[in-house]
Amino acid sequence: MSKINYGNYFENFSIGQKIVHPLPRTVSEGDVSLYIAFTGSRFSLHSSDIVAREIGYKKRPIDDILMFHLTFGKSVQDISLNAIANLGYAEISFPNPVFVGDTVSMTSTVIGLKENSNGKSGVVYVHSIGVNQDGNEVLNFKRWVMVHKKDHSVKSEINIVPTFEASTPIVDKINIPTIGAIDTDASGGEYFFEDYVAGERLNHPEGITIDKSDHTLATKLYQNNAKVHFNDHMMKSTPMGQRLMYGGIVISMARAISFNGLQNAQWVYAINSGNHCNPTYAGDTIYAYTEILETIDHKREDIGLLRLRTIAVKNQNPTEISSPKGEDGKYLPNIVLDLDYTVVIPKKSTKK
Amino acid sequence: MSKINYGNYFENFSIGQKIVHPLPRTVSEGDVSLYIAFTGSRFSLHSSDIVAREIGYKKRPIDDILMFHLTFGKSVQDISLNAIANLGYAEISFPNPVFVGDTVSMTSTVIGLKENSNGKSGVVYVHSIGVNQDGNEVLNFKRWVMVHKKDHSVKSEINIVPTFEASTPIVDKINIPTIGAIDTDASGGEYFFEDYVAGERLNHPEGITIDKSDHTLATKLYQNNAKVHFNDHMMKSTPMGQRLMYGGIVISMARAISFNGLQNAQWVYAINSGNHCNPTYAGDTIYAYTEILETIDHKREDIGLLRLRTIAVKNQNPTEISSPKGEDGKYLPNIVLDLDYTVVIPKKSTKK
Amino acid sequence: MSKINYGNYFENFSIGQKIVHPLPRTVSEGDVSLYIAFTGSRFSLHSSDIVAREIGYKKRPIDDILMFHLTFGKSVQDISLNAIANLGYAEISFPNPVFVGDTVSMTSTVIGLKENSNGKSGVVYVHSIGVNQDGNEVLNFKRWVMVHKKDHSVKSEINIVPTFEASTPIVDKINIPTIGAIDTDASGGEYFFEDYVAGERLNHPEGITIDKSDHTLATKLYQNNAKVHFNDHMMKSTPMGQRLMYGGIVISMARAISFNGLQNAQWVYAINSGNHCNPTYAGDTIYAYTEILETIDHKREDIGLLRLRTIAVKNQNPTEISSPKGEDGKYLPNIVLDLDYTVVIPKKSTKK
């Protein structure tokens, strides 16, 4: 057997199989600074220990999306190295905060397998759980990817497809401390849960251009080793002709850009679903707008939730876009992300 | 009222108005490493805890210019997001050192307003003070920017213009510990206060090229959100045709390059004035030379001060330049920074 | 005498001369994160404090090659700033681990001098020793560089050439803790010392493209100030026409890429010799393959050593290359590194 790990093919997966992903990662101050350098993120909870303590934390937690990348990146080698396409993800939740010094790792269980009728590939469904050094869950999600088969001659005709919730369930116990105080001078935003209404749209004014080194440095930091993001020599001979940007970069940029209008919505509670509608490459400028899909009351008195749809657009100002899809029901060519997610935002009573 | 913060227009400012800038920032080891990666800075005080302790600190303080960027960046959203031009700054001082773990924040007071005769814009003068978590001043400066008016039909004819000192006053109490010892093997330089004379010129040999990701990563790290630095899509339709480099990047490069010849001048006491004479873009190579304007005695016996003029030049070796201005009194096209500042440098008696 | 340090010329060196290199460096978490961002390195020992503690460390040590760069970079100003060529290095060893918070510095002793017959240059041989804040050796190596003479009219005819071991001697006491346990789920590799055989070849599948900002940010982080790596304006008028990538970048990439196949070989014991066969520039994609030259038993029962030859290739898949040299005995044009080094790898008995 070769010592080289070429990743798994469709035949290598079986229902119930548990995969411990290598490379636990101790989160450092360097990761946090790099994330700000990559995104320009301005959420005060992740920027200042003083703000974090006023809210009720011992110190600033790391950005939820940074934690997602650092944890998720570990699964690429085992799950999606031979992926034809990342088809989707569901029920992503962020059960506990992560701090500098914590060590995160991830395990996946195969929950579905569906061979494609062409016999050349199949869809693998996994349930992945990231934990910290104490075993507390910090990330929980399901994803499905289309993976090559190694041997096209043998057909298994396996067809076990799990079902997913349309949105991540909202639980009673949310692991955010009882909000001490929100200092709007620090957060930069005056708006709280009660100020948002379903149907409202926020056109975030910033557009940020991503260059070659930006996106490859970030993806390497996450130890995500999917070749399409790093190997320009290989990609030159593909129809893309260049390195594809890791889709997570666009999620990060959209989230950072959404700050302007959602300054106090500093926690990602869940990602309900996401669609990387079109590829992004170095040199693209990312813009975003957000629709408030739903305002969600919670039994806690200090916070509420907003279900959001953030649309990321490349090289076009979002004010020019009324709907991400054209009359044919397909995404417009400049739409690069359609993200359905839920954030936590304090209520007015928490204002300092 | 829109939840989007579009920044302030001339009409939004009033004399005496106090603006607390959002986003206090806890300084981290990641910020320090990134600053070295951006600049290649070699001042030993900021590189080594051992050097810092020999000098008299508990540990290495962060580079003064890094502190400036991390603190200053916060004011862009409120003061200069709608600026037509950053006209100048004065009396910049660095009253106390900043260390990793400190949290810096900034407040500005409007001290002058002058409507332009065209009725379309005006000049806003602010006095900005940055403090650490204990309320100690770490940055103090005045700046003035030309800002758009929102409504061109109403004229205020306001004309209150403050006056500034030609240079930041030198105070008796300088918050640098009594110099324990300067190890010239560590600092890399043999020259002390007594070795420099007014009129002397130092042609620093290094030239450093800045690329796209370098300058945008730095500016995002500083959470400076001025669009001109990030949005290539927008800038393509301007006369510049591309993203403008944040002027602070050039200050940082000039300071880092000035190391060779000023190795023991490890503290920026003040910036007296600065002129970003021409724009810089990705791909430009920054060089610098320094004139010793003045040697300044201080009542402290261990240190003196040097008033310096560092000229940064793009894409041309400074040895080819005798004066930054041509016969017409205008800056030559390759001159990108004319910085008048004051540094502290130990006296010979401190040599280890 | 000029205050500008232009580096040393051949005449400035003398046998037995001791040079304390400036700029001790305190290693930070930021350096570690940046190194992962530059290389995508996935060795678990350097990624996770939990893994490091299971092995027997108090916390994760920094990557040996990162330590090399941070320490080595300091010597450029004194030794090789006026180098015509970096000719070679020998007997590189890594005697003790380095951790975040440690401060490394370096001293070199001149051990050889050979004037070239043309009278214009000479070869300088130095023995360099890097230490931490407690004076413990962390790096020990010999290197030789061809350096310009300042005055071509005076000839010294000095010709003192030291001899070097063909490979770094293997000592009895290796400063790696007795291996507690190797968790292959964490390291990502199932193979131990006993699994490797001399003559075996590993074609590492990853190829990673290096861009402009990647390599210049790294080299500046290492405070390596060799002009050829930074100054595009100057390099445009040379035959290269652009900035040359620091050879250490290629060593780092080759080492990081070699992970896939050598997952448990987490310690670089020594670099026996290295040849930067051809230059690399921004945009090049680096691949690598490794030959097992020798399996080396050690008196310790928990570990063995592998002597490896890793060949880095640019812009070509290593599977296409059978030998790095052509029939004429010269390196093929795409071969960029021929590295002979020795790694430590635990034995099967250590498997968790």
Side-chain angles (χ1 to χ4, degrees), chain B residues 281-296:
Chain B
Y281 303 105
D284 283 343
T285 300
I286 309 297
Y287 293 91
Y289 72 88
T290 297
E291 293 171 356
I292 314 296
L293 296 180
E294 191 183 352
T295 62
I296 304 167

Side-chain angles (χ1 to χ4, degrees), chain A residues 29 33 37-38 41-42 47-50 185-186 191 195-196 200 206-207 209 211 213-214 260 285 287 315, chain B residues 2-5 22-24 26 28-31 77 133 212-213 217 220-221 223 225 230-233 243:
Chain A
E29 286 203 348
S33 289
F38 293 141
S41 177
R42 293 186 284 151
S47 181
S48 162
D49 279 341
I50 292 177
D185 280 343
Y191 302 95
D195 297 311
Y196 294 84
E200 194 175 352
E206 275 91 17
T209 306
D211 297 301
S213 291
D214 300 25
N260 196 339
T285 300
Y287 292 91
N315 309 322
Chain B
S2 167
K3 292 190 179 71
I4 303 293
N5 184 343
L23 207 41
T26 303
S28 89
E29 287 204 347
D31 301 331
Q77 175 74 42
Q133 66 285 350
K212 288 178 189 171
S213 291
L217 286 171
K220 285 184 285 185
L221 180 70
Q223 297 169 307
N225 66 317
F230 298 118
N231 189 330
D232 203 52
H233 173 251
R243 284 165 288 177

